[in-house]
């Protein structure tokens, strides 16, 4: 069944855990959609795991739209979320609505995600008022990496609670909680009517999200504590490529089966 923005609140009410994974292209989108994932997030993490940047700051809206179009082409039932990249929703409310509108119109995604709590409440409300659903993102917000002094667990309980409440009151449909202690994530989850989706926020959130490249073991520049690697695709790819190199060099490939006579 197609997951829509309204399915998210229903899932929270029925205590059906929400599953979300990132994808950045058609093939991965098709694979994870076929497994029945609820939400595919085209995260600006693509800057790090797809492009190899140090952080997410250089990612542009055009890059986000390009990758999201490919993901939308690969999905059937999952809800597709597009991240608004750094500085596309900070300059003015008008520019934020324009950029959120471009993200949705040009990519085919159904909801935008943006980082920030109390300070972003007015922007979230304006985007929602323009009929564009928003997913919030608080706690460790990678676009503020320099201000936060690195990728660190965020532990200020009162700030986190007021950020979460501000995002809900502004009209967001769901909220990502990144890198916060489990007990605070539980308090936030219990106090909100919109679903919380955790990454490094413990088991009490209404859903979980991971970066696909982390989960399948193709990104190993660094591995945060919250990442569980479910397989080691990097080793599989290396084995296949080594076999190919050896077979080409030894003349075993191409054999008759793979040759036109
Ligand atoms: O960009 C991203 O992939 C994200 C997730 C880590 C939540 O924001």
């Amino acid at each position: 069944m197609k997951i829509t923005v309204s399915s998210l609140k229903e899932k929270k009410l029925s205590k059906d855990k929400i599953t979300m994974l990132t994808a950045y292209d058609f093939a991965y989108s098709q694979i994870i959609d076929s497994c029945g994932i609820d939400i595919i997030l085209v995260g600006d993490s693509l800057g790090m795991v797809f492009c190899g940047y140090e952080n997410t700051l250089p990612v542009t809206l055009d890059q986000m739209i390009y990758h999201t179009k490919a993901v939308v082409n690969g999905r059937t039932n999952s809800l597709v979320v597009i991240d608004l990249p750094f500085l596309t929703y900070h300059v003015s409310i008008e520019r934020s609505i324009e950029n959120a509108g471009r993200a949705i119109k040009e990519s085919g995604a159904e909801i935008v995600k943006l980082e920030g709590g109390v300070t972003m409440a007015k922007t979230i409300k304006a985007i929602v008022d323009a009929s564009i659903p928003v997913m919030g993102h608080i706690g460790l917000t990678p676009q503020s990496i320099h201000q936060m002094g690195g990728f660190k667990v965020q532990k200020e309980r009162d700030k986190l609670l007021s950020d979460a409440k501000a995002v809900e009151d502004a009209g967001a449909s769901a909220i990502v909680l990144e890198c916060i202690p489990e007990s605070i994530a539980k308090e936030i989850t219990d106090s909100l009517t919109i679903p919380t989706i955790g990454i490094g926020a413990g088991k009490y959130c209404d859903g979980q999200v991971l970066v696909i490249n982390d989960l399948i073991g193709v990104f190993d520049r660094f591995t945060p504590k919250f990442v569980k690697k479910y397989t080691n695709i990097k080793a599989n790819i290396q084995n296949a490529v080594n076999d190919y190199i050896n077979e080409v060099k030894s003349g075993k490939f191409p054999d008759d089966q793979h040759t036109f006579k």
Side-chain angles (χ1 to χ4, degrees):
M1 207 179 62
K2 177 78 186 80
I3 304 292
T4 63
V5 171
S6 29
S7 319
L8 303 180
K9 256 192 182 170
E10 288 160 21
K11 282 182 176 288
K12 177 166 178 124
L13 284 173
S14 59
K15 297 197 185 312
D16 180 13
K17 290 272 187 187
I18 296 167
T19 56
M20 175 156 105
L21 278 176
T22 67
Y24 315 105
D25 67 17
F26 172 77
Y28 279 69
S29 169
Q30 224 185 14
I31 294 168
I32 65 179
D33 179 274
S34 75
C35 299
I37 202 83
D38 293 318
I39 308 176
I40 303 179
L41 166 66
V42 188
D44 60 357
S45 52
L46 71 83
M48 297 172 77
V49 302
F50 188 89
C51 303
Y53 305 152
E54 286 286 304
N55 54 48
T56 59
L57 302 186
V59 175
T60 65
L61 187 54
D62 286 339
Q63 276 175 305
M64 291 305 305
I65 290 170
Y66 173 85
H67 285 271
T68 306
K69 273 180 176 170
V71 166
V72 166
N73 288 342
R75 71 83 197 260
T76 306
N77 288 322
S78 316
L79 182 77
V80 175
V81 184
I82 179 170
D83 253 348
L84 293 183
F86 180 55
L87 275 195
T88 59
Y89 56 98
H90 306 77
V91 176
S92 70
I93 297 277
E94 288 72 22
R95 290 273 295 274
S96 309
I97 298 172
E98 266 169 27
N99 285 332
R102 257 198 81 199
I104 295 289
K105 279 175 80 158
E106 295 180 27
S107 77
E110 290 132 310
I111 173 166
V112 300
K113 179 166 82 57
L114 59 87
E115 299 179 3
V118 172
T119 54
M120 279 298 153
K122 277 195 186 135
T123 305
I124 294 174
K125 182 169 183 326
I127 295 174
V128 172
D129 285 348
S131 301
I132 301 168
V134 173
M135 179 178 283
H137 182 160
I138 64 161
L140 170 56
T141 45
Q143 291 173 14
S144 314
I145 186 73
H146 298 314
Q147 207 172 28
M148 290 182 158
F151 293 101
K152 292 177 184 162
V153 179
Q154 304 298 305
K155 299 177 181 163
E156 286 176 76
R157 176 188 167 276
D158 293 351
K159 179 181 184 315
L160 289 165
L161 279 162
S162 45
D163 278 343
K165 184 81 176 70
V167 169
E168 169 163 279
D169 289 347
S173 302
I175 184 167
V176 169
L177 307 180
E178 179 162 355
C179 273
I180 68 178
E182 187 174 67
S183 58
I184 302 177
K186 180 174 188 319
E187 232 182 303
I188 293 173
T189 302
D190 291 345
S191 68
L192 297 186
T193 60
I194 56 170
T196 59
I197 303 178
I199 176 160
K203 60 175 174 283
Y204 299 107
C205 296
D206 299 305
Q208 297 292 328
V209 54
L210 280 178
V211 169
I212 186 73
N213 302 51
D214 288 334
L215 177 146
I216 63 174
V218 289
F219 182 76
D220 56 8
R221 201 179 249 183
F222 64 88
T223 305
K225 177 179 162 69
F226 57 76
V227 166
K228 179 167 176 184
K229 289 189 193 284
Y230 285 81
T231 183
N232 188 351
I233 294 297
K234 180 173 178 175
N236 285 346
I237 295 174
Q238 283 170 329
N239 288 339
V241 172
N242 284 330
D243 287 349
Y244 168 74
I245 292 171
N246 291 335
E247 289 196 3
V248 170
K249 285 192 185 294
S250 69
K252 195 171 169 197
F253 178 84
D255 53 13
D256 283 352
Q257 199 193 335
H258 300 98
T259 301
F260 299 108
K261 297 283 185 187

